[in-house]
């Protein structure tokens, strides 16, 4: 038996190797990001080949023009949308296609254009797409000129009428663009579907559907071969070769294979296989197509919670909005990966793509890095939230957009839920029932392997969306005081904490006393010197301020931790994002909700999660130790893997504290005295960790710390450089605001600067940044494909220059 299996594998491998040389004749996917011209403003006639664009700016995609703009409360996006400009923009690209492509199908794929894009090829209008978050394809074949002749793609993007999205949207061709060519017989766009209907440790049934397109105009005999490759590239299973009669337009074929001893995909070991499909015609490979495959199974139990591969676990999630801080909406693989790395180190294992279709790269990374994903489609249905939002297009476009999102995303093992709406207003309107049926039908047409959810801010039995009966899972946005009544409110249903928390913090700001909880906007005015809001538009970073509808981090986690049926939480939000500057508005322009600030610097609460959600030893103490003599300061500590923490000030013990009951932190109330604060955590009397904070002196130098000193010379890769203002002894100066000026030499450029301050109106695309609570960030991108050295020099008045050398390889 084993021999036979081996023989089959060997012959399939040999066959594959024999046909590899023909692979070039099949599909080709080229990145189409370079060499565009751009004009901000309308440009009538720019779709015509003879239009003169010599004066236009030359740039590479992805590109977000809003992030390059100037903050103003008068921009139509409003501070809720990030206060950056919108407008109309045009992109043009002239290109040639080799003669060898004649007789092939040629497509252009846009991963996302914000928003209302119209695309032309050689003056011919290909289409219009209003939804700025959706991916789409146009067929260029009938309009292309081959050989030396020039072709022109023109794209008009209209983000002039705002507000049209919550929150910052960005503007332009902000995701990747691809030029795809295939033969006349090929696998369709998003044309495969892989599911694993039965999975156990012993074996997995893999079901694979392939959808084919025939542009030859005649019936064709073809063969379909699909192999499953393991992570090392070895073939571990193969579907039998199928002789298939393709009719003159299209066809679909489904196959099944059993894989013995599958390695399962999980959040801790995200093992990935892939399915490689070849289409043969006249003994030639005419198409090769790779589909990601992760083998896992999951289930929900109304009482016991969520199970992945039979193991009970909680979804420890964050909601993330799509912007990448100072890079804006312009997608960048490394920037996304860095966000996920930071979240992983906090213990996060789930992401909600609030509130729109994400960049495809995010899903690839979640597959690879082991995050569960709630893939969300809509923030509105028919009823508006913002005057010009998607409700204007919902009736005409929602089925198409939802189908496209499902088709694009359904092979990602990371995705375990589809969310068809966030805080949809039809929850309170009987029309919600029919729309819920309609959306659920569309989802189930493309995928029946994952549950559908809506994120409800009205989680009551009167909710019309829930009443539709379409959803087994009931999503709760906030309403944490009602969690414990869940089974009474929704008998037999399964809870999902679709959106939780909504606490507010400014990194590095501490108001005393810290031990009473404030809700914005109720406790707007100062009480005992503390309110939710300060006159300088900051919010204290002790976890004691939340939005009225939400809860603090500790309040939420204590509840979720307590009950098995509370299977998940998705914190609003992992990272700060542009827009929604609750509790303020202008001059604030970005959010205060993140566990991590806009620049990617953790706020203190990050360490509470790290202590609770990871097994690595944690001891974190805060605040900083620069106060007025005699001030009463609350010192908090988050810790794990220890029985107690002892705090010392200048060598004198301030006492031992132990978490009791459901405590998540301990606190000392201390009369401030300059010097050294030291915390020691102990387990069974043995020291686990020690942390110190010193009173910092005046700024004395700049320190530059790169997350990676070597980056790829691919024009895309990034090094995130943290800038720290230190005193003479090497302590971060907590109130340092020095303006740091950057000079960059070599094969790179500054892609963005930031400091995490929601109030800064300095540009993100600049070669300077003020420190905020002692820190700033410079993002360095490799320029073009040339390898070489990148030298970053940072200067600030009165401080010696600091230098950092990076390599682009
Ligand atoms: C929710 C909403 C989010 C965000 C959040 C702030 O109601 O879904 O988009 O506004 O509140 O707490």
């Amino acid at each position: 038996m084993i021999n036979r299996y081996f023989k089959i594998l060997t012959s399939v491998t040999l066959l594959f190797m024999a046909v590899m040389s023909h692979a070039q004749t099949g599909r080709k996917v080229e990145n189409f990001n370079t060499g565009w011209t751009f004009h901000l403003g309308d440009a009538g006639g720019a779709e015509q080949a003879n239009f003169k664009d010599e004066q236009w700016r030359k740039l590479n995609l992805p590109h977000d023009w809003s992030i390059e703009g100037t903050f103003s409360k008068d921009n139509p996006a409003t501070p809720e949308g990030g206060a950056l400009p919108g407008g109309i923009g045009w992109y043009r690209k002239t290109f040639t296609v080799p003669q060898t492509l004649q007789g092939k199908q040629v497509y252009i794929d846009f991963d996302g254009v914000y928003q209302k894009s119209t695309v032309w090829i050689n003056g011919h209008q290909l289409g219009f797409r209003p939804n700025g978050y959706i991916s789409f394809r146009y067929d260029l074949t009938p309009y292309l000129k081959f050989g030396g002749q020039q072709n022109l793609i023109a794209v008009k993007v209209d983000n002039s009428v705002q507000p049209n999205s919550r929150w910052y949207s960005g503007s332009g061709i902000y995701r990747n663009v691809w030029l795809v060519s295939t033969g006349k017989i090929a696998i369709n766009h998003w044309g495969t579907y892989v599911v694993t209907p039965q999975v156990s440790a012993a074996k997995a049934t893999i079901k694979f559907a392939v959808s084919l397109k025939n542009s030859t105009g005649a019936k064709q005999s073809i063969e379909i071969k699909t192999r499953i490759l393991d992570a090392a590239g070895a073939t571990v299973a193969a579907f039998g070769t199928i002789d298939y009669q393709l009719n003159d337009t299209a066809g679909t074929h489904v196959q099944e294979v059993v894989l013995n001893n599958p390695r399962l995909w999980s959040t801790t070991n995200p093992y990935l296989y892939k399915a490689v499909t070849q289409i043969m015609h006249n003994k030639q490979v005419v198409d090769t197509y790779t589909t990601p495959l992760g083998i896992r199974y999951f289930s929900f139990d109304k009482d016991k919670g969520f199970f992945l591969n039979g193991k009970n676990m909680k979804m420890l999630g964050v909601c993330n909005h799509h912007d990448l801080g100072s890079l804006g909406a312009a997608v960048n693989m490394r920037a996304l990966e860095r966000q996920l790395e930071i979240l992983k180190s906090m213990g996060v294992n789930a992401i909600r793509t609030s509130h729109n279709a994400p960049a495809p790269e995010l899903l690839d990374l979640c597959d690879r890095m082991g995050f569960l994903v709630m893939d969300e489609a809509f923030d509105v249905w028919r009823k508006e939230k913002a005057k010009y939002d998607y409700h204007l297009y919902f009736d005409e476009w929602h089925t198409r957009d939802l189908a496209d999102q499902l088709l694009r995303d359904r092979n990602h093992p990371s995705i375990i839920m589809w969310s068809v709406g966030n805080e949809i207003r039809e929850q309170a309107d009987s029309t919600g029932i029919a729309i819920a049926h309609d959306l659920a039908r569309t989802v189930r047409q493309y995928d029946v392997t994952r549950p559908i959810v809506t994120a409800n801010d009205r989680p009551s039995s009167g909710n019309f969306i829930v009443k539709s009966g379409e959803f087994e899972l009931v999503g709760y946005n906030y309403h944490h005081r009602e969690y414990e009544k869940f089974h009474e409110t929704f008998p037999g249903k399964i809870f999902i904490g679709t959106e939780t928390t909504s606490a507010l913090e400014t990194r590095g700001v501490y108001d005393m006393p810290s031990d009473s909880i404030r809700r914005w906007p109720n406790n707007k005015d100062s009480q005992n010197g503390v309110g939710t809001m300060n006159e300088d538009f900051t919010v204290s970073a002790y976890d004691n301020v939340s939005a009225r509808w939400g809860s603090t981090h500790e309040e939420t986690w204590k509840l979720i931790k307590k009950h098995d049926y509370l299977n998940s939480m998705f914190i609003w939000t992992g990272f700060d994002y542009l827009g929604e500057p609750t509790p303020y508005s202008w001059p604030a322009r970005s959010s205060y909700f993140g566990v991590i600030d806009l620049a990617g610097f953790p706020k203190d609460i990050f360490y509470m999660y790290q202590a609770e959600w990871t097994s690595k030893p944690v001891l974190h103490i805060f605040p900083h130790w620069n106060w007025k003599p005699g001030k009463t300061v609350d010192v908090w500590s988050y810790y794990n893997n220890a029985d107690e923490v002892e705090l010392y000030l200048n060598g004198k013990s301030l006492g031992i504290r132990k978490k009791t009951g459901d405590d998540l932190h301990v606190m000392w109330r201390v009369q401030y005295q300059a010097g050294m604060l030291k915390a020691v955590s102990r387990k069974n009397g043995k020291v686990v960790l020690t942390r110190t904070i010193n009173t910092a002196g005046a700024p004395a130098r700049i320190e530059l710390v790169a997350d990676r000193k070597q980056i790829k010379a691919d024009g895309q890769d990034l090094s995130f450089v943290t800038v720290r203002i230190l005193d003479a002894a090497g302590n971060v100066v907590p109130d340092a605001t020095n303006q740091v000026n950057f000079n960059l030499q070599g094969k790179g450029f500054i892609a963005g600067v930031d400091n995490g301050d929601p109030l800064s109106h300095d540009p993100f695309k600049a070669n300077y940044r003020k420190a905020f609570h002692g820190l700033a960030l410079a993002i360095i991108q490799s320029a073009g494909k040339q390898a070489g050295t990148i030298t970053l020099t940072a200067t600030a008045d009165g401080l010696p220059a600091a230098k950092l050398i990076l390599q682009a390889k």
Side-chain angles (χ1 to χ4, degrees):
M1 184 65 194
I2 291 180
N3 259 344
R4 230 184 87 208
Y5 178 64
F6 184 68
K7 259 193 192 155
I8 295 171
L9 285 191
T10 318
S11 54
V12 170
T13 313
L14 288 176
L15 232 174
F16 177 67
M17 283 163 63
V19 298
M20 271 310 273
S21 54
H22 295 287
Q24 297 307 325
T25 60
R27 173 178 302 259
K28 200 166 162 204
V29 180
E30 276 173 84
N31 183 287
F32 209 54
N33 285 342
T34 57
W36 291 76
T37 60
F38 171 69
H39 171 74
L40 183 55
D42 207 353
E47 73 280 11
Q48 299 302 332
N50 58 3
F51 182 89
K52 299 269 172 272
D53 69 356
E54 288 87 7
Q55 302 305 316
W56 286 21
R57 176 173 155 199
K58 294 183 176 46
L59 52 71
N60 297 333
L61 306 175
H63 173 239
D64 170 6
W65 78 70
S66 295
I67 204 69
E68 300 168 347
T70 305
F71 292 103
S72 162
K73 67 173 176 2
D74 300 326
N75 279 325
T78 76
E80 295 296 294
L84 286 165
I88 293 177
W90 277 83
Y91 297 82
R92 297 176 97 235
K93 174 167 166 139
T94 307
F95 64 104
T96 57
V97 280
Q99 203 66 53
T100 49
L101 285 190
Q102 192 138 29
K104 302 246 170 202
Q105 295 294 114
V106 185
Y107 307 95
I108 188 162
D109 288 358
F110 291 89
D111 286 350
V113 183
Y114 205 90
Q115 64 155 323
K116 295 200 279 184
S117 63
T118 313
V119 182
W120 291 264
I121 174 78
N122 296 332
H124 174 88
Q125 186 176 323
L126 292 165
F128 168 75
R129 247 0 236 247
N131 185 329
Y133 298 101
I134 209 75
S135 299
F136 53 92
R137 158 175 288 191
Y138 292 117
D139 185 356
L140 304 181
T141 319
Y143 317 104
L144 278 182
K145 295 183 252 172
F146 295 89
Q149 300 179 74
Q150 301 279 343
N151 293 283
L152 173 84
I153 289 269
V155 182
K156 179 184 176 185
V157 184
D158 185 351
N159 194 15
S160 57
V161 186
Q162 299 194 46
N164 59 38
S165 183
R166 298 173 338 133
W167 306 101
Y168 175 77
S169 64
S171 306
I173 309 180
Y174 70 102
R175 289 183 183 160
N176 290 303
V177 182
W178 309 93
L179 194 72
V180 179
S181 53
T182 71
K184 291 283 178 203
I185 300 169
I187 294 175
N188 251 322
H189 190 210
W190 304 318
T192 61
Y193 181 37
V194 65
V195 296
T196 50
Q198 278 116 33
V199 181
S200 68
K203 59 183 190 175
T205 309
I206 304 171
K207 209 166 163 183
F208 189 79
V210 54
S211 139
L212 295 149
K213 182 171 168 131
N214 180 0
S215 311
T216 64
K219 291 184 180 160
Q220 302 289 350
S221 301
I222 58 164
E223 284 174 30
I224 306 170
K225 303 163 186 280
T226 299
R227 298 168 307 128
I228 305 296
L229 271 54
D230 69 10
T235 301
V236 290
F239 298 87
T241 301
I242 296 300
D243 291 325
Y244 187 81
Q245 293 303 314
L246 190 58
N247 77 23
D248 52 5
T249 55
T252 305
H253 189 264
V254 184
Q255 277 177 286
E256 221 175 84
V257 77
V258 169
L259 174 67
N260 289 319
N261 305 316
R263 292 187 60 179
L264 301 188
W265 182 96
S266 70
T267 53
T268 47
N269 185 10
Y271 191 87
L272 289 178
Y273 294 90
K274 55 188 168 208
V276 177
T277 308
Q278 289 183 317
I279 307 300
M280 313 276 295
H281 182 237
N282 295 336
K283 307 269 174 247
Q284 297 244 320
V285 177
V286 293
D287 198 7
T288 307
Y289 192 95
T290 302
T291 307
L293 167 63
I295 300 174
R296 85 285 185 267
Y297 62 101
F298 61 89
S299 58
F300 293 90
D301 180 285
K302 73 176 176 50
D303 300 313
K304 294 189 198 122
F306 175 71
F307 293 78
L308 179 64
N309 301 328
K311 255 176 73 185
N312 192 208
M313 66 180 281
K314 276 197 203 285
M315 285 179 260
L316 308 172
V318 297
C319 302
N320 258 4
H321 194 49
H322 77 141
D323 71 75
L324 294 167
S326 60
L327 303 176
V331 81
N332 180 288
M333 191 69 156
R334 174 58 200 157
L336 286 168
E337 184 184 51
R338 170 187 181 244
Q339 285 201 334
L340 293 178
E341 281 171 358
I342 294 170
L343 292 171
K344 193 103 207 172
S345 76
M346 166 178 152
V348 171
N349 64 22
I351 306 282
R352 170 178 179 227
T353 70
S354 45
H355 302 296
N356 305 288
E361 289 80 6
L362 177 75
L363 300 172
D364 292 339
L365 286 165
C366 288
D367 288 351
R368 258 201 268 145
M369 296 171 74
F371 287 90
L372 302 167
V373 176
M374 184 194 309
D375 194 2
E376 189 153 273
F378 303 120
D379 192 31
V380 288
W381 292 353
R382 265 205 195 119
K383 294 190 154 208
E384 74 185 54
K385 283 183 182 164
K387 191 162 177 203
Y388 303 106
D389 66 22
Y390 188 71
H391 81 281
L392 296 173
Y393 301 98
F394 186 80
D395 278 348
E396 188 182 344
W397 285 94
H398 72 269
T399 305
R400 173 79 192 273
D401 286 338
L402 185 58
D404 284 352
Q405 186 168 351
L406 269 280
L407 283 166
R408 189 195 69 171
D409 293 351
R410 63 187 178 171
N411 291 323
H412 288 281
S414 55
I415 298 175
I416 56 148
M417 279 181 262
W418 304 111
S419 165
V420 293
N422 173 60
E423 300 192 349
I424 295 300
R425 287 186 54 204
E426 284 85 345
Q427 290 169 100
D429 184 308
S430 58
T431 60
I433 296 183
I435 303 174
H437 286 315
D438 172 41
L439 296 175
R441 198 167 41 238
T442 302
V443 172
R444 291 191 184 114
Q445 189 180 336
Y446 298 99
D447 184 48
V448 290
T449 71
R450 298 161 175 100
I452 313 169
V453 72
T454 54
N456 302 295
D457 58 338
R458 293 169 175 262
S460 67
S461 50
N463 179 316
F464 288 100
I465 296 177
V466 179
K467 269 192 183 170
S468 72
E470 289 287 359
F471 311 104
E472 200 187 349
L473 311 180
V474 181
Y476 271 57
N477 279 17
Y478 311 109
H479 293 267
H480 64 287
R481 288 181 201 87
E482 291 157 41
Y483 287 178
E484 293 189 322
K485 288 188 289 195
F486 176 73
H487 285 314
E488 274 165 54
T489 319
F490 296 110
K493 297 275 188 189
I494 291 154
F495 169 92
I496 296 288
T498 36
E499 191 171 310
T500 65
T501 320
S502 274
L504 301 157
E505 282 107 15
T506 305
R507 176 179 58 79
V509 170
Y510 306 97
D511 298 334
M512 310 298 158
S514 62
D515 53 352
S516 65
I517 289 175
R518 318 270 155 174
R519 310 280 179 210
W520 176 83
N522 305 3
N523 309 94
K524 197 163 174 174
D525 299 316
S526 294
Q527 297 175 5
N528 310 318
V530 201
T532 52
M533 304 167 75
N534 293 321
E535 274 171 12
D536 63 355
F537 303 96
T538 61
V539 182
S540 185
Y542 291 106
D543 177 32
N544 66 342
V545 183
S546 87
R548 172 184 35 81
W549 55 85
S551 43
T552 65
H553 294 278
E554 290 198 4
E555 283 177 307
T556 322
W557 173 234
K558 278 180 187 174
L559 262 172
I560 301 276
K561 191 177 173 179
K562 196 158 121 196
H563 300 289
D564 287 345
Y565 69 91
L566 300 178
N567 56 23
S568 54
M569 65 185 273
F570 286 86
I571 304 165
W572 188 267
T573 48
F575 279 76
D576 276 340
Y577 50 100
L578 287 159
E580 202 183 25
T582 308
Y584 306 101
S585 187
W586 191 258
R589 47 63 172 164
S590 56
S591 81
Y592 291 68
F593 291 114
V595 173
I596 300 147
D597 78 12
L598 198 69
F601 302 137
K603 301 178 188 174
D604 296 289
I605 193 63
F606 177 92
Y607 300 96
M608 185 280 281
Y609 289 111
Q610 196 174 52
E612 287 288 302
W613 291 359
T614 76
S615 54
K616 85 173 192 207
V618 173
L619 173 63
H620 179 72
I621 49 169
F622 62 104
H624 57 74
W625 210 238
N626 278 53
W627 300 94
K628 289 210 173 81
K631 167 131 182 137
T632 304
V633 181
D634 290 347
V635 177
W636 284 37
S637 173
Y638 301 122
Y639 68 92
N640 64 6
N641 299 6
D643 313 316
E644 61 180 39
V645 180
E646 186 162 8
L647 189 71
Y648 301 84
L649 178 56
N650 295 327
K652 195 171 151 256
S653 174
L654 300 177
I656 290 176
R657 298 283 187 274
K658 298 177 187 207
K659 289 188 272 192
T660 56
D662 62 359
D663 285 350
L664 296 171
H665 72 269
V666 290
M667 187 186 101
W668 295 260
R669 188 149 279 166
V670 181
Q671 289 304 113
Y672 175 75
Q673 197 183 88
M676 183 202 276
L677 198 62
K678 176 172 154 186
V680 179
S681 65
R682 298 189 195 95
K683 193 175 177 86
N684 301 325
K686 276 177 68 183
V687 172
V688 180
L689 289 171
T690 303
R691 294 280 179 265
T692 55
I693 304 180
N694 294 301
T695 302
R701 65 188 173 94
I702 305 166
E703 184 188 41
L704 301 176
V705 187
D707 68 337
R708 292 184 315 148
K709 284 196 158 173
Q710 191 177 310
I711 58 176
K712 281 181 245 134
D714 60 0
Q716 287 297 317
D717 205 6
L718 304 174
S719 179
F720 286 82
V721 180
T722 300
V723 180
R724 306 194 328 150
I725 306 295
L726 305 180
D727 72 359
N731 302 300
V732 173
V733 181
D735 54 356
T737 54
N738 307 57
Q739 174 158 313
V740 181
N741 301 302
F742 302 106
N743 178 287
L744 189 132
Q745 302 289 326
K747 308 287 180 206
F749 64 96
I750 299 173
V753 291
D754 196 3
N755 58 17
D757 180 2
L759 294 166
S760 172
H761 294 167
D762 285 342
F764 286 130
K765 302 280 179 192
N767 58 359
Y768 63 92
R769 195 68 168 186
K770 276 191 177 147
F772 181 62
H773 296 288
L775 304 182
L777 176 78
I779 307 172
I780 313 304
Q781 184 162 348
S782 62
K785 301 222 154 77
Q786 284 175 46
T789 300
I790 302 169
T791 307
L792 179 71
T793 311
T795 54
D797 282 351
L799 303 183
K803 201 185 244 184
L804 176 75
I805 297 182
L806 307 171
Q807 297 296 332
K809 279 202 169 155

